[in-house]
Amino acid sequence: MEPNSGDWSWEYGERPFDPVAGGFDGKLEFIGLMPYRKSMEIKASPIGIGYECIDHRKAYNFSKTLPIMQNSGVKWARVQTGWSRTETEKGTYDFSWLDEIVDGLLKVGIQPWLSISYGNLLYMDAENPKTSLAYAPIPFGKRAVQGWRNYCETLVKHYQNRVTHWEVWNEPNVGFWGTPEDPRPASPDPAEYVELVKITSEIIRKHQPGAKIIGGAISGGGCCNRYIKGLAENGIAEHIDIFSYHPYGTIPELYIEDRLKYIKSLFANCGRNIEFWQGECGRPSQTQVRGRGYKLTTANQARYLTRRILTDLHIGFDMTSYFCTGDIGSAYKPGGIHGQGVIDTSGEEYFPKPAFFALQSMACLFDAETIPIISNIEVTPPDGWGGFLASSAELYPVTAGFRRGNTPIFAYYFPENIDIDYEIKRIFMSIWIEDGFDFSDPILIDPITRKVFKFKKAPVRNAKDMYDFHSLPMLDYPLFITSYNLLKSINGN
């Protein structure tokens, strides 16, 4: 393994997990960094990244991000197409800016999927051009719809040999569905959105019969259930292959499993095999975003990323996309700070944040060859659960199991609110190992620092298939226990 390069200082005096400082130096021995894989080296994966906000908003320089992102290991990229940037004169389309993005991503082994989103004031009589993001074709009548048809047909003909997945609009339920009377209506009509999906999907499939259509792109919690139900009742399943959902919140695990079950239940009897994608979700790394005073740090962003991806894959999303690649800054709100990216794009030189290294770890471990399993993991604190419950008496440790071939990967962490300072706890753990699994030379992996530790004292095998680990660190983001042979197989050794 390469030399240790996982040490850095974070805001507020935060430091990455360190066994010595945490009191675990007698239990764990650092043996190196886990490998990472270039996106080109991974055949298939359920992990993606967002390349949003570089349409007409031009949030950052795409070409500067590519040398970094090619080493991420992600295989999907959500790209917004930018109708108003492409068609600045009626009937004239310039895709050169989008060609750079699509071709650049394909060259490094990342498959772009195009989100066809947002309006064009050439076809929409609007009183406030600044809110053009919200203007959707359907409410503006035949002229706008025909302009949209022409744009979509030109778009799919241009990219039909490079792009296979097409998303229709972005978050129509929360302010990106304007009308001539109201640029951001409180209750958009789901039937109008389904009509746009129908129109768009027919155009795409006419020129690319094998295309995959993504619908929904819904943002919000339980408050959007009625809207999603309206989509199902208006027949959206007839026109899509994938339903996309955007969960946000400071505790990634909270409510999301039930929400996914609810969404799946609405499509259970539609007669089509629809996939479900987590299409956009992330967390900024700055302390001030649109005036909100959360404790948003690079450390918290990295923690959130590991928990978001692990949760999505374990509960059954077919793909998870992290928002986003680069800091979008004033493109989100003029004069504002919005450090949403895994890459710092605030200066002339771009550089990866801790969240990027966490993304590398997750992409390396959880490609398409790694699948969830039912696991039996018991966590016991030496002093009882009372010392853990800093913010909620409802929170208990999260555990999850996966396998890659015949090698298991076990994850565990405490799902504390990301914004709350967390003190490392000491726990005991028992893991049931199924027959046939390779659990030789167990190791502990920290996905944020990419550090790999071996156990100075091997776990106690107290039965044929139970292993006891004494005095493990419990963090507020996942640590992974697996066999050292897993890393050797990933690294080709």
Side-chain angles (χ1 to χ4, degrees):
M1 292 186 184
E2 62 193 275
N4 177 15
S5 61
D7 291 322
W8 50 71
S9 295
W10 289 339
E11 300 91 342
Y12 300 102
E14 294 171 308
R15 295 286 299 173
F17 168 67
D18 176 69
V20 175
F24 294 92
D25 55 317
K27 307 295 181 181
L28 300 170
E29 179 183 344
F30 171 72
I31 58 174
L33 297 182
M34 70 171 292
Y36 68 86
R37 293 186 286 168
K38 294 177 179 290
S39 296
M40 188 64 76
E41 297 170 346
I42 295 177
K43 293 180 180 179
S45 171
I47 298 178
I49 192 72
Y51 263 100
E52 295 91 351
C53 300
I54 49 175
D55 45 12
H56 63 281
R57 291 163 287 184
K58 304 178 184 178
Y60 51 86
N61 186 321
F62 166 78
S63 63
K64 289 185 178 182
T65 67
L66 204 58
I68 300 173
M69 286 308 301
Q70 69 178 350
N71 296 321
S72 67
V74 303
K75 294 298 291 183
W76 295 94
R78 182 179 188 240
V79 179
Q80 290 166 324
T81 59
W83 182 14
S84 64
R85 183 175 181 182
T86 299
E87 186 182 4
T88 57
E89 297 182 11
K90 284 187 178 181
T92 301
Y93 305 95
D94 181 4
F95 292 107
S96 57
W97 70 275
L98 192 54
D99 284 339
E100 178 190 6
I101 298 170
V102 170
D103 293 341
L105 289 169
L106 289 172
K107 186 176 180 180
V108 300
I110 301 175
Q111 177 62 54
W113 52 289
L114 297 186
S115 178
I116 316 174
S117 308
Y118 306 142
N120 191 321
L121 295 182
L122 293 175
Y123 300 94
M124 300 168 180
D125 297 323
E127 294 183 1
N128 186 1
K130 292 183 180 180
T131 60
S132 62
L133 279 179
Y135 295 139
I138 298 295
F140 282 85
K142 293 181 179 180
R143 185 166 68 98
V145 171
Q146 189 57 51
W148 175 263
R149 286 179 181 273
N150 295 341
Y151 167 65
C152 290
E153 183 167 42
T154 307
L155 180 72
V156 69
K157 288 168 70 174
H158 188 79
Y159 289 109
Q160 61 184 335
N161 295 322
R162 289 174 278 178
V163 173
T164 57
H165 290 63
W166 308 81
E167 182 179 60
V168 183
W169 214 254
N170 176 63
E171 299 182 353
N173 64 309
V174 291
F176 293 108
W177 192 265
T179 69
E181 298 78 22
D182 187 351
R184 294 184 182 271
S187 300
D189 186 352
E192 290 185 341
Y193 174 68
V194 173
E195 179 64 18
L196 184 67
V197 173
K198 177 178 182 293
I199 290 170
T200 310
S201 64
E202 288 175 349
I203 293 169
I204 293 172
R205 288 191 168 117
K206 174 184 175 182
H207 299 282
Q208 191 182 27
K212 300 295 184 182
I213 308 299
I214 306 165
I218 302 301
S219 180
C223 59
C224 66
N225 282 3
R226 184 177 295 276
Y227 186 90
I228 299 174
K229 186 177 181 181
L231 299 181
E233 291 173 343
N234 282 278
I236 193 173
E238 300 174 22
H239 313 293
I240 65 172
D241 304 283
I242 299 163
F243 189 89
S244 175
Y245 179 62
H246 303 171
Y248 278 92
T250 57
I251 302 179
E253 305 79 11
L254 207 57
Y255 314 125
I256 183 61
E257 186 169 10
D258 283 342
R259 286 176 185 162
L260 180 58
K261 287 179 180 177
Y262 173 74
I263 294 171
K264 287 185 174 182
S265 73
L266 296 175
F267 296 89
N269 299 315
C270 72
R272 306 189 69 243
N273 185 24
I274 292 178
E275 292 185 13
F276 298 88
W277 284 11
Q278 188 280 94
E280 177 196 316
C281 189
R283 188 144 182 85
S285 61
Q286 265 79 6
T287 57
Q288 291 294 329
V289 178
R290 295 192 296 171
R292 299 194 297 253
Y294 300 126
K295 184 183 176 183
L296 301 171
T297 69
T298 55
N300 288 353
Q301 182 190 42
R303 294 182 180 108
Y304 187 93
L305 181 146
T306 60
R307 287 168 58 173
R308 174 81 275 156
I309 292 177
L310 182 76
T311 298
D312 292 342
L313 297 181
H314 193 251
I315 68 173
F317 277 111
D318 296 292
M319 199 277 292
T320 176
S321 182
Y322 194 78
F323 181 82
C324 59
T325 297
D327 291 341
I328 56 181
S330 60
Y332 193 85
K333 181 181 180 182
I337 299 174
H338 202 77
Q340 196 88 36
V342 297
I343 298 175
D344 187 324
T345 61
S346 60
E348 283 297 314
E349 183 179 355
Y350 290 5
F351 58 87
K353 300 179 188 177
F356 176 82
F357 299 111
L359 179 65
Q360 279 186 317
S361 298
M362 300 303 285
C364 183
L365 289 173
F366 295 97
D367 64 2
E369 294 183 38
T370 301
I371 61 175
I373 60 173
I374 297 173
S375 59
N376 288 275
I377 304 172
E378 296 180 2
V379 176
T380 307
D383 301 318
W385 289 114
F388 277 75
L389 308 180
S391 67
S392 172
E394 302 299 323
L395 296 180
Y396 288 92
V398 170
T399 61
F402 297 81
R403 69 172 175 85
R404 184 180 178 85
N406 70 334
T407 304
I409 304 172
F410 300 106
Y412 72 98
Y413 63 98
F414 192 72
E416 184 57 272
N417 186 314
I418 289 289
D419 292 332
I420 291 179
D421 291 331
Y422 179 82
E423 181 181 348
I424 298 174
K425 304 296 193 304
R426 186 183 302 271
I427 55 100
F428 300 141
M429 180 183 293
S430 295
I431 302 178
W432 174 71
I433 306 295
E434 189 172 353
D435 291 341
F437 275 172
D438 172 18
F439 201 57
S440 57
D441 298 323
I443 56 173
L444 184 75
I445 300 173
D446 180 338
I448 296 180
T449 63
R450 295 179 37 233
K451 290 183 178 180
V452 181
F453 304 93
K454 74 175 183 179
F455 297 96
K456 290 186 175 181
K457 184 178 180 181
V460 177
R461 190 170 183 175
N462 65 13
K464 180 182 178 181
D465 49 13
M466 290 293 291
Y467 290 77
D468 289 342
F469 291 81
H470 295 279
S471 195
L472 285 176
M474 171 74 83
L475 308 184
D476 61 344
Y477 65 90
L479 298 177
F480 301 109
I481 296 177
T482 186
S483 167
Y484 185 73
N485 287 334
L486 179 77
L487 295 191
K488 291 197 293 185
S489 66
I490 288 175
N491 213 19
N493 296 329

